[in-house]
């Protein structure tokens, strides 16, 4: 059991994660895991990963509602991407549970740096807002979804920071639509991973509840900010990449001495 202060910090952390999910689609899990470990004080990386996976899945589902109302979700693409990645998320999470927790966090941080660089490289990409997922591009979408699901499950994350660029690369949609559509896959991957971790007793349900509650509030604010920032070319990508770099550097510094 955790102390009351830890639950309070969990709620505050959830608000920050929810805001990030609403703002840039990805980033929720990137923030959730280090916040669980370094701010809330969860000593087991695996419990932090399992609990945050459940919280991020729930917050992604809640944040999907305002994006759907704004019309920024490509449902067919999102569904195809999510279904392709669920099996990969289960297989990857099974591998992740058997991996050393501190090494898992270290590898997670290295992956964040790579994705952040890719997002900066493509920050000027405008995309095609009228794109649809059909038979012609289905193999590419399914391939990207399967690979993303595997990585998401292994690292115990919703995987938005992989899903957003994956959707953009596989379909050519603008980032605004990739952000909204990614929430479907984040919820699916996170829930699959959380159920796998729950089967091993690696979730703190009380902490997950307060994290989710804070995330719903933060997500509403983030979704509103996402629409405004999308009007400025490349700004959303830059914010997304900067967030990844900052958290990744901190995680590398902390986990390096713990390995």
């Amino acid at each position: 059991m955790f102390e009351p202060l830890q639950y309070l910090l969990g709620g505050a952390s959830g608000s920050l994660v929810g805001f990030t999910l609403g703002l840039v689609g990805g980033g929720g899990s990137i923030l959730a895991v280090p916040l669980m470990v370094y701010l809330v004080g969860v000593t087991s990386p695996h419990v932090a990963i399992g609990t945050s996976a459940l919280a991020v899945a729930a917050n992604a589902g809640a944040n999907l509602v305002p994006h759907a109302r704004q019309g920024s979700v490509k449902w067919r693409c999102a569904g195809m991407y999510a279904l392709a990645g669920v099996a990969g998320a289960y297989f990857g999470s099974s591998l992740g549970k058997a991996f050393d927790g501190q090494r898992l966090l270290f590898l997670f941080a290295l992956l964040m740096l790579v994705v952040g660089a890719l997002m900066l490289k493509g920050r000027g990409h405008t995309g095609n807002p009228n794109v649809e997922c059909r038979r012609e591009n289905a193999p590419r979408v399914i391939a990207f979804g399967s690979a993303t699901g595997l990585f998401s499950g292994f690292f115990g994350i919703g995987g938005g920071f992989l899903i957003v660029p994956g959707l953009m690369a596989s379909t050519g949609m603008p980032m605004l639509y990739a952000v909204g559509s990614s929430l479907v896959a984040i919820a699916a991957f996170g829930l699959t991973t959380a159920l796998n971790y729950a089967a091993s007793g690696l979730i703190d349900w009380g902490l997950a509840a307060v994290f989710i509650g804070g995330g719903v509030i933060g997500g509403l604010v983030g979704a509103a900010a996402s629409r405004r920032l999308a009007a400025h070319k490349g700004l959303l990508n830059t914010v997304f990449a900067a967030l990844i770099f900052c958290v990744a550097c901190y995680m590398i510094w902390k986990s390096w001495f713990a390995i």
Side-chain angles (χ1 to χ4, degrees):
M1 292 293 293
F2 294 101
E3 298 293 330
L5 177 60
Q6 290 178 292
Y7 286 109
L8 181 63
L9 291 173
S13 299
S15 298
L16 181 58
V17 168
F19 176 79
T20 307
L21 269 172
L23 178 65
V24 293
S29 297
I30 293 175
L31 288 176
V33 173
L35 284 172
M36 287 279 192
V37 174
Y38 304 121
L39 180 62
V40 179
V42 179
T43 55
S44 168
H46 286 113
V47 171
I49 288 171
T51 304
S52 66
L54 176 62
V56 169
N59 287 340
N63 291 333
L64 180 61
V65 175
H67 279 275
R69 289 175 177 172
Q70 293 173 359
S72 58
V73 178
K74 295 285 186 179
W75 291 103
R76 182 179 294 181
C77 295
M80 186 182 298
Y81 200 99
L83 286 174
V86 165
Y90 181 81
F91 181 68
S93 59
S94 297
L95 292 176
K97 288 192 298 182
F99 207 79
D100 177 76
Q102 291 298 332
R103 286 184 170 83
L104 196 59
L105 291 178
F106 183 75
L107 292 175
F108 178 26
L110 293 179
L111 180 62
M112 289 164 61
L113 292 177
V114 174
V115 174
L118 292 175
M119 291 301 294
L120 278 179
K121 182 179 179 181
R123 65 186 183 275
H125 174 72
T126 56
N128 176 15
N130 299 316
V131 70
E132 296 292 342
C133 289
R134 306 182 187 279
R135 183 179 301 176
E136 294 77 14
N137 57 4
R140 185 174 177 85
V141 174
I142 291 172
F144 270 84
S146 299
T148 304
L150 180 65
F151 276 105
S152 298
F154 179 72
F155 289 109
I157 56 175
F161 74 104
L162 292 171
I163 296 168
V164 171
L167 280 168
M168 294 171 66
S170 61
T171 67
M173 67 175 64
M175 186 173 183
L176 175 63
Y177 289 94
V179 166
S181 302
S182 73
L183 294 171
V184 177
I186 291 171
F189 296 172
L191 183 59
T192 301
T193 300
L195 290 175
N196 200 349
Y197 272 73
S200 300
L202 296 173
I203 290 181
D204 184 281
W205 298 98
L207 184 58
V210 297
F211 208 95
I212 292 168
V216 171
I217 298 173
L220 294 174
V221 179
S226 176
R227 172 65 67 174
R228 291 189 176 185
L229 286 175
H232 303 278
K233 183 178 179 181
L235 180 58
L236 202 55
N237 298 61
T238 303
V239 171
F240 186 65
L243 174 71
I244 292 173
F245 284 132
C246 290
V247 179
C249 289
Y250 181 77
M251 288 182 68
I252 289 172
W253 177 66
K254 292 289 288 188
S255 59
W256 177 264
F257 295 103
I259 295 177

